[in-house]
Amino acid sequence: MADMTITGPAPDLASLLKARPFLSLDETDGLCFEGVSLKSIAMQYGTPVWVYGAGEMRRRYRALNAALAAQDLPAHIHYAVKANGHLAILDLFRRLGAGADVVSLGEFLRARRAGIAPDDVVYSGVGKSEAELKAALAAGIGQINVESAEELAMLSGIASGLGVQATVALRMNPDVDAGTHAKITTGLAENKFGIAAADIPALYAHAASLPGLRPVGLALHIGSQILSPTPYATAYAKGADMVRHLRAQGQNVEALDLGGGIGIGYGAEPGLDLAAYAATIRRTVGGLGLRLMVEPGRYLTGPAGLLLASVILQKHTQKRFVVLDAAMTELMRPALYEAWHGILPLDAADFSVPVSPADVVGPVCESADSFAENRALPDLPPGRLVALLDAGAYGAEMSSTYNARPRAASVLADAGTARLITPRQSIEDLWADEILPG
Ligand SMILES: *Cc1c(COP(=O)(O)O)cnc(C)c1O
């Protein structure tokens, strides 16, 4: 499998464990996550089950805030709801002071339901509908990142009709290659996102002249899972040039939304260096007197979640297949992006026995329903439990019920206690809202 998310050779089980301080191995309890035995969670709630760690989410939020503060950056974190919009997780980040970055009315209302103030929400996306914009404006949304001239005109009409001023930023497409997977890059001229730099000055002036709009600045978001500060440096330098250009034209530019995309280590490698990232921000846009926003999703929740699964059976053809009770219906990233996820057994003994290559797959009737190819794993007989690592972002959020598979349960571990935050869907629930005509 072409592997776009780890660099270098695949790490062994011990290295995966060592790179994740929130995981530990207990002789009798096996693999523990933030001090909670994962086997006990699987016993109590069944599998597949999502397990999230509140402590690790808080630690990551604070580490990013500290890195930004160390560079004296007036930056506010807007958590990207699409990474994982569970109310318990939104509530956790709200308590830490985060706002939200949303890409639909549904996500805006989710953030509101979790108590995030409407004016602390930024709304991005290439295709916001009239109904969505109207509802968000009426509810007092903080900022709308506009991605086209067409949207700007629509927004002006809606805001005027409602008698409100929409605070807008123009999303600039900086034409920068984020060096990430083609399906998660967004800042290239050929991508559907944002407004070409050449069109920004005229459109910004136009926005300032339209009724119902208050342009406050620019937004940049170049992609996801970015591991080097270099593409950020290029994009932010282009953003800084544009800010200076707009100001020279007499425009008011007070805010810059720096987007998300902070990459994490899916293997044993480190994620994006936060100190280097913050230094890049300082160097490129720090001297412009701008109010800054960052929109991390994956960085905050990715490593702080895992998917527990049971082995249904091991099948031997020319290869060894480990068939799990979890599938692409839970964790779609390997099928969608050829993403690499670490897989650890839960039994302590399994960390010191011989390993051999195995394909780890789900039971869904699609060849794409595969988590790993030729992964070095111990013998995993039926009933054995495994953890799919770094599944806290773009995991449950992308779940489906394909093959009539009910949605998995989810559990939040906090200070040594595990609490159910989503019950497992019942099979009958799958058709509960379907209507038989006649
Ligand atoms: C998806 C998205 C984010 C979050 O991206 P991550 O890679 O999860 O940090 C931030 N901003 C916008 C506009 C997005 O679309």
Side-chain angles (χ1 to χ4, degrees):
M1 183 176 289
D3 166 15
M4 300 304 297
T5 56
I6 60 164
T7 46
D12 63 14
L13 303 181
S15 316
L16 283 171
L17 187 60
K18 191 158 165 260
R20 289 163 182 75
F22 46 86
L23 293 178
S24 59
L25 201 56
D26 183 275
E27 278 308 312
T28 44
D29 291 340
L31 193 65
C32 297
F33 183 34
E34 292 195 8
V36 178
S37 153
L38 289 171
K39 275 194 201 174
S40 69
I41 291 176
M43 271 352 151
Q44 187 166 358
Y45 301 106
T47 56
V49 59
W50 301 96
V51 188
Y52 303 115
E56 181 61 13
M57 289 186 195
R58 291 191 194 100
R59 195 198 63 74
R60 301 183 76 80
Y61 183 90
R62 291 186 179 123
L64 178 59
N65 242 348
L68 295 166
Q71 296 288 341
D72 277 326
L73 294 168
H76 185 51
I77 298 176
H78 291 256
Y79 171 59
V81 172
K82 78 173 186 287
N84 190 326
H86 196 291
L87 291 178
I89 290 171
L90 298 180
D91 176 67
L92 180 150
F93 289 123
R94 176 187 62 78
R95 287 167 191 269
L96 294 171
D101 167 65
V102 304
V103 296
S104 69
L105 178 63
E107 285 191 355
F108 175 61
L109 296 179
R110 239 181 203 292
R112 293 288 299 119
R113 178 73 184 83
I116 297 175
D119 63 358
D120 210 2
V121 180
V122 180
Y123 189 174
S124 310
V126 286
K128 312 175 193 80
S129 75
E130 186 157 351
E132 287 184 305
L133 288 170
K134 196 168 179 180
L137 279 177
I141 194 160
Q143 178 175 309
I144 295 176
N145 292 348
V146 170
E147 302 216 12
S148 64
E150 293 77 2
E151 185 183 20
L152 199 67
M154 193 205 291
L155 187 59
S156 169
I158 298 166
S160 310
L162 289 171
V164 299
Q165 285 273 100
T167 300
V168 301
L170 295 191
R171 177 164 175 187
M172 171 171 140
N173 183 324
D175 195 16
V176 169
D177 185 349
T180 185
H181 190 279
K183 287 192 178 161
I184 51 176
T185 197
T186 58
L188 281 171
E190 70 203 52
N191 296 136
K192 68 179 177 181
F193 299 99
I195 298 161
D199 299 335
I200 294 272
L203 206 57
Y204 204 95
H206 183 56
S209 75
L210 286 174
L213 301 184
R214 193 174 79 88
V216 294
L218 300 174
L220 293 158
H221 172 70
I222 58 172
S224 200
Q225 184 53 12
I226 299 168
L227 290 167
S228 155
T230 308
Y232 282 117
T234 311
Y236 294 169
K238 290 187 178 190
D241 284 346
M242 187 60 74
V243 170
R244 282 186 282 263
H245 182 84
L246 293 171
R247 283 176 172 171
Q249 291 192 325
Q251 298 299 340
N252 167 54
V253 185
E254 58 197 69
L256 184 62
D257 181 339
L258 298 166
I262 299 174
I264 61 174
Y266 279 96
E269 77 284 11
L272 178 71
D273 179 342
L274 294 184
Y277 174 64
T280 297
I281 298 173
R282 163 102 185 210
R283 189 161 45 76
T284 50
V285 303
L288 294 169
L290 293 162
R291 181 166 53 77
L292 301 173
M293 300 173 213
V294 289
E295 303 169 343
R298 183 191 314 271
Y299 161 77
L300 288 173
T301 50
L306 47 81
L307 176 62
L308 290 187
S310 302
V311 176
I312 295 178
L313 53 85
Q314 280 189 116
K315 167 174 172 168
H316 298 269
T317 60
Q318 301 110 307
K319 287 174 150 185
R320 171 165 69 117
F321 289 97
V322 177
V323 185
L324 302 181
D325 64 356
M328 64 188 288
T329 44
E330 283 73 41
L331 183 59
M332 197 195 198
R333 297 189 65 259
L336 191 59
Y337 310 124
E338 303 175 317
W340 196 98
H341 282 266
I343 301 174
L344 291 179
L346 296 201
D347 278 357
D350 279 338
F351 283 75
S352 50
V353 295
V355 292
S356 64
D359 282 15
V360 182
V361 302
V364 162
C365 302
E366 298 283 344
S367 293
D369 183 28
S370 171
F371 293 116
E373 283 178 23
N374 291 320
R375 191 64 65 87
L377 287 168
D379 181 37
L380 291 168
R384 206 55 73 82
L385 294 159
V386 297
L388 296 147
L389 306 179
D390 311 307
Y394 307 106
E397 196 65 34
M398 286 187 176
S399 291
S400 77
T401 56
Y402 183 45
N403 280 203
R405 293 171 52 81
R407 186 194 58 214
S410 51
V411 167
L412 182 67
D414 196 359
T417 309
R419 284 197 192 78
L420 185 69
I421 55 169
T422 315
R424 186 174 306 284
Q425 193 177 26
S426 76
I427 288 182
E428 291 73 21
D429 278 348
L430 289 169
W431 52 83
D433 58 1
E434 291 177 16
I435 296 166
L436 268 173

